[in-house]
């Protein structure tokens, strides 16, 4: 699994977070997506790596400005995630 962190400029409220999350869910097969307007980031957990060029295109369509994209392997943590 992969964790992709997007730096997004322009999110001002929870509706902005929902707009980004919905756009990602509609265009990519993801396990989890969450955004924080306070931190200015969106985190995506997915089974497959998401192509950078497609992420850039989808975020541009929402009207927000995409900064850095960081992808790393993800290992579920917790009591049952060993």
């Amino acid at each position: 699994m992969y964790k992709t962190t997007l730096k997004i400029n322009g999110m001002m409220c929870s509706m902005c977070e929902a707009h980004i999350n919905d756009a990602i869910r509609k265009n990519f097969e993801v396990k989890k997506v969450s955004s924080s307007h306070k931190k200015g980031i969106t985190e995506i957990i997915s089974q497959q790596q998401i192509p950078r060029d497609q992420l850039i295109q989808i975020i541009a369509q929402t009207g927000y400005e995409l900064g850095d994209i960081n992808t790393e392997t993800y290992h579920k943590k917790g009591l049952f995630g060993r």
Side-chain angles (χ1 to χ4, degrees):
M1 290 182 57
Y2 296 92
K3 177 180 177 182
T4 304
T5 305
L6 311 175
K7 177 72 175 161
I8 300 179
N9 299 317
M11 289 192 294
M12 301 301 224
C13 63
S14 60
M15 289 304 293
C16 297
E17 296 170 355
H19 189 212
I20 294 287
N21 293 347
D22 288 345
I24 290 171
R25 283 189 194 103
K26 287 178 184 176
N27 291 283
F28 305 106
E29 190 173 319
V30 299
K31 296 282 184 183
K32 181 180 176 182
V33 60
S34 62
S35 297
S36 170
H37 69 277
K38 291 181 182 178
K39 294 179 183 178
I41 62 168
T42 296
E43 293 181 336
I44 305 166
I45 305 296
S46 59
Q47 195 69 34
Q48 305 294 325
Q49 268 189 301
I50 299 173
R52 292 175 72 88
D53 58 334
Q54 290 180 10
L55 274 173
I56 292 167
Q57 181 182 7
I58 296 305
I59 299 302
Q61 291 174 2
T62 63
Y64 299 97
E65 183 181 326
L66 180 60
D68 294 335
I69 301 173
N70 182 31
T71 301
E72 58 191 56
T73 56
Y74 175 78
H75 302 285
K76 188 172 182 179
K77 299 174 186 164
L79 182 61
F80 300 107
R82 293 189 232 171

